[in-house]
């Protein structure tokens, strides 16, 4: 098992930071709006990858995340909202389903939570809950052969060779400072909003 298996595939060109923000609005016959945000994370390697993984889980990658608990549950600004990191491409996406008139409020609150992460404003309880969710998810990989195939395939393309237990050991070693540093490398690239045709 080695990253050598991926040597015949072209290397992904990763932008370190976003340039001018692209803002795209489309109109269709829909009643629910779709707000998607694209961010640049830069090249991810070594311990940075584990810190970015933990950032994502605390920020929006689990049902115990800041986005879920604040944007959806506390403020009821989204039917669903979550973040996802693609470390091979160096990007993060935030996807949400919202009431069309609440676009501004939902957009602003997503960035309130991102700024909280950049300033280190997340609790030990939030960290522990995100880690527990990650442990549960990774420990259950062995229940599904297809999940294990996806896991080791991603390892090949990333040029790494972590089995699930090794990966968890590295997650448990991530510090608050490393998570804050990962958060501060994230820059907004694209704002996409799908809304109804009748809107002004």
């Amino acid at each position: 098992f080695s990253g050598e298996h991926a040597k015949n595939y072209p290397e992904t060109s990763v932008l370190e930071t976003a340039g001018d923000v692209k803002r795209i609005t489309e109109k269709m016959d829909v009643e629910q709006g779709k707000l998607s945000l694209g961010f640049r994370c830069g090249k991810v390697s070594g311990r940075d990858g584990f810190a970015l993984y933990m950032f994502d889980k605390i920020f929006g990658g689990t049902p115990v995340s800041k986005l879920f608990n604040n944007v959806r549950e506390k403020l009821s600004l989204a039917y669903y909202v979550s973040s996802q990191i693609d470390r091979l491409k160096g990007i993060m996406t935030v996807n949400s389903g919202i009431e069309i008139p609440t676009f501004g409020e939902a957009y602003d609150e997503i960035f309130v939570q991102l700024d909280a992460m950049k300033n280190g404003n997340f609790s030990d309880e939030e960290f522990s809950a995100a880690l527990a969710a990650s442990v549960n998810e990774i420990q259950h990989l062995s229940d599904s052969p297809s999940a294990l195939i996806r896991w080791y395939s991603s390892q090949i393309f990333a040029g790494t060779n972590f089995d699930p237990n090794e990966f968890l050991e590295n997650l448990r070693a991530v510090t608050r400072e490393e998570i804050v540093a990962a958060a501060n490398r994230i820059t907004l690239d694209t704002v996409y909003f799908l809304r109804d045709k009748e809107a002004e």
Side-chain angles (χ1 to χ4, degrees):
F1 180 84
S2 168
E4 288 294 310
H5 293 292
K7 65 183 179 181
N8 294 325
Y9 290 87
E11 184 177 351
T12 300
S13 178
V14 176
L15 299 180
E16 289 294 334
T17 59
D20 293 337
V21 177
K22 296 173 281 295
R23 299 183 185 274
I24 303 163
T25 299
E26 291 187 335
K27 296 180 180 181
M28 295 179 65
D29 286 323
V30 296
E31 294 184 3
Q32 181 186 117
K34 310 292 183 185
L35 169 59
S36 294
L37 306 172
F39 298 84
R40 298 285 179 185
C41 306
K43 290 185 178 179
V44 181
S45 62
R47 289 195 57 79
D48 291 344
F50 298 107
L52 188 63
Y53 184 98
M54 283 305 302
F55 157 82
D56 176 57
K57 296 304 181 184
I58 299 169
F59 175 59
T62 67
V64 295
S65 68
K66 281 185 171 293
L67 292 184
F68 187 90
N69 285 327
N70 291 282
V71 181
R72 183 183 187 276
E73 294 294 292
K74 182 179 178 181
L75 298 175
S76 299
L77 291 173
Y79 296 105
Y80 64 86
V81 59
S82 64
S83 65
Q84 184 174 18
I85 296 284
D86 186 329
R87 63 190 178 121
L88 298 182
K89 296 179 180 178
I91 62 173
M92 176 179 76
T93 55
V94 173
N95 295 301
S96 63
I98 63 173
E99 291 284 353
I100 293 166
T102 65
F103 166 84
E105 295 173 82
Y107 178 93
D108 289 346
E109 186 59 30
I110 289 169
F111 281 92
V112 165
Q113 300 307 320
L114 179 57
D115 287 343
M117 293 297 299
K118 290 186 174 187
N119 291 320
N121 294 331
F122 54 91
S123 67
D124 291 341
E125 288 76 17
E126 287 175 309
F127 178 92
S128 297
L131 180 59
S134 300
V135 169
N136 182 64
E137 176 184 329
I138 292 172
Q139 285 182 336
H140 280 82
L141 287 172
S142 59
D143 295 341
S144 168
S146 61
L148 280 174
I149 290 170
R150 289 192 298 271
W151 171 270
Y152 284 109
S153 295
S154 69
Q155 295 289 318
I156 290 172
F157 285 103
T160 55
N161 190 16
F162 296 107
D163 68 32
N165 289 329
E166 290 173 326
F167 192 86
L168 286 176
E169 287 178 11
N170 281 277
L171 284 190
R172 293 186 177 101
V174 170
T175 66
R176 173 180 292 271
E177 291 74 20
E178 287 173 327
I179 294 172
V180 171
N184 279 282
R185 287 193 296 271
I186 291 171
T187 54
L188 178 64
D189 182 273
T190 303
V191 179
Y192 173 83
F193 183 36
L194 175 65
R195 63 177 306 161
D196 57 310
K197 284 185 175 181
E198 299 301 318
E200 292 294 332

